[in-house]
Amino acid sequence: MSAARVLKFGGSSFAGPDGYERVADAVGRRLREGRGPLAVVVSAGPGETEALRERLLGIDPHPEDETLAGLLTLADTAGAQLLAAALHRAGVGSAVLAGQQLGLVSDSVFARARLVHTDPGALTAALARHEVVVVPGGQAVDAQGRPTWLGKNSSDLSAVAVAAAVGAPACEIHSDVDGIYSADPHLVPGARLLPLVSYDTASLLSLHGAKVIHRRAVEMARKCGVELVLRHGRPPFAHGTRVGAAGEPVRAVVLNRRSVALRYSGEAEADRAYAALRAANADAVRLGGGPLVVAVGGFLDLAEFHRRRDLAPGSGAGVPVTVLCGPVATTHLAADADGAVALARRLHGTFENGPAPRARPLRLAGV
């Protein structure tokens, strides 16, 4: 059997039933290239995970993480089964592997789990029997077999884990943009596509809130030697950026309007909060110049998080906007989301054409 190829399609690819048909057609075309079976990792359709979260919060405003993980993973399972149905209609045979079938084992931080082990047996066996194996993103189990969720936007991580498990040299990530840009192209006019980006740079961008690629997916790709090929999630599925060991230093502005900076009463309180966030596998940045911590991405109930861990609550200090110049990150704070967009556009407008100055690469924490 030829080596399997791994494709991931984000939720923006599945905006309506025709989205599943488009992806099924694309998968069929890739099969006709005749270069081995396909493992296709899929996210839930737009808003489906959040709809489940809202239903849960309507019943229990502060659910246990185990309950949250058990429910939210169902959205991606539904997406996988819907794609399998579209493939069947298109005449393409497929199988769905989900949950305990996957061989992805995590720790027991249920709602933001960290992968600790992969058993490739089920994946390789399924790929030997089927043209296409469809995998719902973001799913794993802990050592006791309980469902865990790898966190928001973690289908990238699932895809890289699958690629590493089956020995694929590359993993194609399809999302709502065709690659990594010098700023969010939906918010900042003139943002420039970056065709070749190093693992270090992609990880640093993601750590500060860039949404195009999951940070732990980048870290696992680096560890396992998997090249990331970023593509648009709709026809013609244009390729924009490759992420690998090499890459020019870049200038970029990172804005995630869901991120929030918190100011604490002292440095010790900020250090404790930062350590607690990292222990919970939540992305966070400890800022200099005061007792400030950025909670990245906004998918954490911060008040409840502090209460459960007996932490002094921080007060909102603004929306972070981070400028990267090579490996150096400088974070500015805007009063609100609209101000952050205006600040990001102004900062990006100061860039000159050309790469950032070279400097010693910054190494970040592992997966």
Side-chain angles (χ1 to χ4, degrees), residues 158-284:
S158 298
V160 174
V162 168
V166 301
C171 177
E172 299 183 24
I173 306 290
H174 298 73
S175 66
D176 61 350
V177 291
D178 57 350
I180 297 174
Y181 282 75
S182 58
D184 186 336
H186 299 306
L187 299 176
V188 179
R192 296 184 294 275
L193 181 68
L194 307 174
L196 184 63
V197 172
S198 70
Y199 294 126
D200 287 325
T201 296
S203 188
L204 188 58
L205 286 164
S206 183
L207 174 64
H208 285 277
K211 295 179 286 186
V212 68
I213 186 72
H214 193 278
R215 183 179 69 84
R216 284 188 282 143
V218 177
E219 294 300 323
M220 176 170 278
R222 182 205 335 247
K223 178 181 177 181
C224 299
V226 175
E227 182 183 51
L228 302 177
V229 181
L230 306 190
R231 294 182 177 271
H232 199 278
R234 289 173 175 261
F237 305 105
H239 154 250
T241 302
R242 288 182 178 271
V243 178
E248 289 292 322
V250 303
R251 287 186 174 92
V253 174
V254 182
L255 165 60
N256 186 323
R257 290 178 290 181
R258 291 180 176 270
S259 297
V260 61
L262 298 173
R263 186 182 300 278
Y264 293 85
S265 58
E267 300 289 345
E269 289 76 12
D271 289 341
R272 282 195 289 271
Y274 173 70
L277 286 163
R278 294 301 302 271
N281 297 339
D283 276 343

Side-chain angles (χ1 to χ4, degrees), residues 5-365:
R5 293 166 289 165
V6 180
L7 316 177
K8 176 261 178 178
F9 290 90
S12 61
S13 297
F14 304 115
D18 57 339
Y20 293 94
E21 295 173 10
R22 283 194 296 268
V23 172
D25 289 342
V27 169
R29 286 195 298 272
R30 295 298 295 271
L31 279 175
R32 290 191 290 274
E33 294 174 0
R35 289 188 290 143
L38 295 173
V40 182
V41 180
V42 301
S43 300
E48 293 178 3
T49 301
E50 290 307 310
L52 286 177
R53 186 198 299 268
E54 290 302 315
R55 289 182 64 185
L56 177 60
L57 297 181
I59 296 170
D60 181 358
H62 305 296
E64 293 295 319
D65 283 351
E66 187 172 357
T67 302
L68 189 71
L71 181 66
L72 297 190
T73 51
L74 298 179
D76 299 276
T77 299
Q81 296 291 353
L82 289 170
L83 180 58
L87 288 166
H88 177 266
R89 184 177 180 182
V92 177
S94 67
V96 175
L97 287 187
Q100 290 179 314
Q101 298 172 300
L102 278 171
L104 302 183
V105 180
S106 74
D107 61 17
S108 297
V109 180
F110 290 99
R112 292 168 301 279
R114 186 174 294 269
L115 290 176
V116 296
H117 173 68
T118 301
D119 180 354
L123 282 163
T124 54
L127 287 164
R129 295 193 305 268
H130 303 279
E131 294 180 297
V132 178
V133 173
V134 185
V135 175
Q139 298 187 359
V141 295
D142 71 359
Q144 286 73 50
R146 297 172 294 185
T148 61
W149 189 44
L150 302 178
K152 187 69 174 175
N153 301 324
S154 58
S155 293
D156 296 346
L157 177 56
S158 298
V160 174
V162 168
V166 301
C171 177
E172 299 183 24
I173 306 290
H174 298 73
S175 66
D176 61 350
V177 291
D178 57 350
I180 297 174
Y181 282 75
S182 58
D184 186 336
H186 299 306
L187 299 176
V188 179
R192 296 184 294 275
L193 181 68
L194 307 174
L196 184 63
V197 172
S198 70
Y199 294 126
D200 287 325
T201 296
S203 188
L204 188 58
L205 286 164
S206 183
L207 174 64
H208 285 277
K211 295 179 286 186
V212 68
I213 186 72
H214 193 278
R215 183 179 69 84
R216 284 188 282 143
V218 177
E219 294 300 323
M220 176 170 278
R222 182 205 335 247
K223 178 181 177 181
C224 299
V226 175
E227 182 183 51
L228 302 177
V229 181
L230 306 190
R231 294 182 177 271
H232 199 278
R234 289 173 175 261
F237 305 105
H239 154 250
T241 302
R242 288 182 178 271
V243 178
E248 289 292 322
V250 303
R251 287 186 174 92
V253 174
V254 182
L255 165 60
N256 186 323
R257 290 178 290 181
R258 291 180 176 270
S259 297
V260 61
L262 298 173
R263 186 182 300 278
Y264 293 85
S265 58
E267 300 289 345
E269 289 76 12
D271 289 341
R272 282 195 289 271
Y274 173 70
L277 286 163
R278 294 301 302 271
N281 297 339
D283 276 343
V285 177
R286 178 71 163 91
L287 298 182
L292 294 163
V293 176
V294 173
V296 178
F299 298 107
L300 187 65
D301 183 338
L302 290 171
E304 179 67 6
F305 180 88
H306 285 70
R307 185 191 67 80
R308 288 186 181 183
R309 290 158 180 80
D310 197 25
L311 296 168
S315 59
V319 179
V321 179
T322 300
V323 176
L324 266 62
C325 185
V328 179
T330 304
T331 297
H332 308 258
L333 298 179
D336 54 30
D338 289 340
V341 172
L343 177 59
R345 291 174 176 175
R346 186 165 66 251
L347 291 168
H348 190 271
T350 67
F351 292 171
E352 298 178 359
N353 292 329
R358 290 188 176 275
R360 183 180 178 183
L362 177 67
R363 307 297 294 189
L364 297 175

